[in-house]
Amino acid sequence: GRASTRRPLVWVFTGMGPQWPGMGQQLLDQGGAFAETVTRAAETFDRLSGRSILHEWRQSATTGQMARNDLAQPTNLLLQLGLIAQLHARGLRPDAILGHSVGEVAAAYAAGALSLEQAVEVAFHRSSLQQEVAGRGGMLAAAMDLDELERFVPEGADVAVAAINAPGSVALAGSAADLDRVERALTEAGRFAKRMTVEVAYHSPHMDTLQDGFFARLGHLTPAAPTLPLYSTLTGARVEGAAHDAAYWWGNARQPVR
């Protein structure tokens, strides 16, 4: 027969930043695979946190709390878990999977490396730990190559490369004052620079005080080897074997996204 001409289907799961109040509400109200999966995941989150994530998610449209790390991370995950179920219900299966930053949690679930309950647990502990340093830093999306850092980031500044998103596109994390200086320098040079709607300096030395907490809270994880091709944006390589333990998630929080 004829060779298939179908293009590979890749699922890429977002990290923090693009969330918005009211996202996913129509899908929740419509029921079906999306709502069923989100509701099951929410039950696990509520048991861990002692609060109703679905209530907070719905209220975010009026309270404006969706920028909060400990609300945005779990609701982003629940949205992604629901979308995975919705896509599966439509018969779609990916040929490759990856996630950006906290999007790696949904990616690990989609690839079979974490159960739904384990994915929710990682998101809960990751976000609650990072909430401890919320408000002390921020992030900046910047149009620059890594070899241009010296030109725009002064030596000794509290600024680190948090993500290498593409050639000429990075995310920086650090103190608000130093990020403001870098943003001004880039803008004056006619380059794109935009502060991100986050309250944590992810993937930077601001995470260092949280290391013990990651190992204490996630040390019991029992990940599996992925059953679908999964690519790590921590290592930049395909995941081989059961990799998503506490050490992986600490690296995911502390090291740059590749």
Side-chain angles (χ1 to χ4, degrees):
R2 289 172 114 184
S4 172
T5 58
R6 184 180 73 83
R7 293 182 177 180
L9 176 64
V10 181
W11 287 359
V12 185
F13 293 93
T14 183
M16 285 282 285
Q19 71 276 354
W20 52 278
M23 65 181 186
Q25 298 306 303
Q26 288 180 314
L27 284 170
L28 275 174
D29 293 338
Q30 288 171 9
F34 179 93
E36 290 171 8
T37 299
V38 168
T39 300
R40 183 158 62 94
E43 290 171 354
T44 297
F45 184 91
D46 294 355
R47 186 171 64 253
L48 291 167
S49 67
R51 56 194 173 104
S52 170
I53 188 65
L54 290 184
H55 174 76
E56 294 190 35
W57 187 354
R58 290 188 183 279
Q59 292 298 310
S60 68
T62 54
T63 63
Q65 294 295 305
M66 191 50 78
R68 276 184 61 94
N69 163 73
D70 61 349
L71 176 60
Q73 280 198 42
T75 51
N76 271 337
L77 174 68
L78 264 59
L79 179 72
Q80 291 165 346
L81 296 177
L83 290 174
I84 292 167
Q86 191 89 337
L87 293 169
H88 282 170
R90 297 191 176 201
L92 293 172
R93 295 293 185 275
D95 300 294
I97 300 170
L98 68 154
H100 188 286
S101 187
V102 72
E104 284 211 286
V105 183
Y109 166 75
L114 292 179
S115 68
L116 183 141
E117 290 75 18
Q118 287 177 322
V120 173
E121 191 172 0
V122 171
F124 166 68
H125 289 300
R126 189 183 190 277
S127 63
S128 60
L129 282 166
Q130 290 178 325
Q131 192 64 29
E132 296 177 10
V133 295
R136 303 179 195 173
M139 297 186 73
L140 174 73
M144 72 167 82
D145 289 312
L146 290 180
D147 57 9
E148 295 180 296
L149 283 174
E150 290 184 3
R151 178 181 169 192
F152 293 105
V153 180
E155 185 176 355
D158 177 15
V159 174
V161 176
I164 306 162
N165 295 318
S169 176
V170 300
L172 304 176
S175 71
D178 284 346
L179 289 175
D180 285 345
R181 283 194 280 272
V182 175
E183 183 177 14
R184 284 195 298 270
L186 283 162
T187 302
E188 289 169 3
R191 308 287 283 276
F192 172 83
K194 183 179 181 181
R195 289 292 290 273
M196 298 168 63
T197 54
V198 297
E199 54 182 5
V200 175
Y202 300 104
H203 308 288
S204 78
H206 285 234
M207 300 291 98
D208 287 346
T209 59
L210 307 178
Q211 180 175 1
D212 290 346
F214 270 83
F215 282 91
R217 297 193 191 187
L218 298 175
H220 64 282
L221 283 179
T222 54
T227 57
L228 293 172
L230 175 64
Y231 292 84
S232 169
T233 54
L234 170 61
T235 66
R238 182 169 172 172
V239 176
E240 304 291 347
H244 293 80
D245 57 8
Y248 187 92
W249 294 113
W250 164 241
N252 162 275
R254 173 63 181 87
Q255 300 303 321
V257 181
R258 299 182 182 278

